[in-house]
Amino acid sequence: LSVALSGTVLSRCPACARNFANIYCNNICSPDQSLFTNVTRVVNHTTAQGQPEFAVVEYQCFYQQDFAD
């Protein structure tokens, strides 16, 4: 859903939309997240089932130059 919404905003630039989707998917789905992501802020959150858990609300990503290019 988030990628679809960004696609609407970035529709005037297909390359920008594609680049954003690539970075978003890499951040969310990569099995190697721990190698390039540093969680900087979490909050307590209660699930719909009433279970307490942590939610990440802020993080830093570190990419190699070849990925950024």
Side-chain angles (χ1 to χ4, degrees), residues 6-62:
S6 66
T8 302
V9 173
L10 298 171
S11 64
R12 291 177 31 190
C13 178
C16 294
R18 214 171 21 256
N19 287 340
F20 180 84
N22 184 36
I23 290 172
Y24 179 84
C25 292
N26 194 59
N27 286 346
I28 302 304
C29 302
S30 174
D32 300 321
Q33 287 176 337
S34 65
L35 300 177
F36 60 85
T37 303
N38 179 37
V39 175
T40 57
R41 187 169 160 225
V42 296
V43 295
N44 291 321
H45 171 72
T46 304
T47 67
Q49 295 78 25
Q51 298 296 318
E53 65 181 12
F54 290 111
V56 174
V57 293
E58 185 176 285
Y59 63 94
Q60 296 172 315
C61 285
F62 304 94

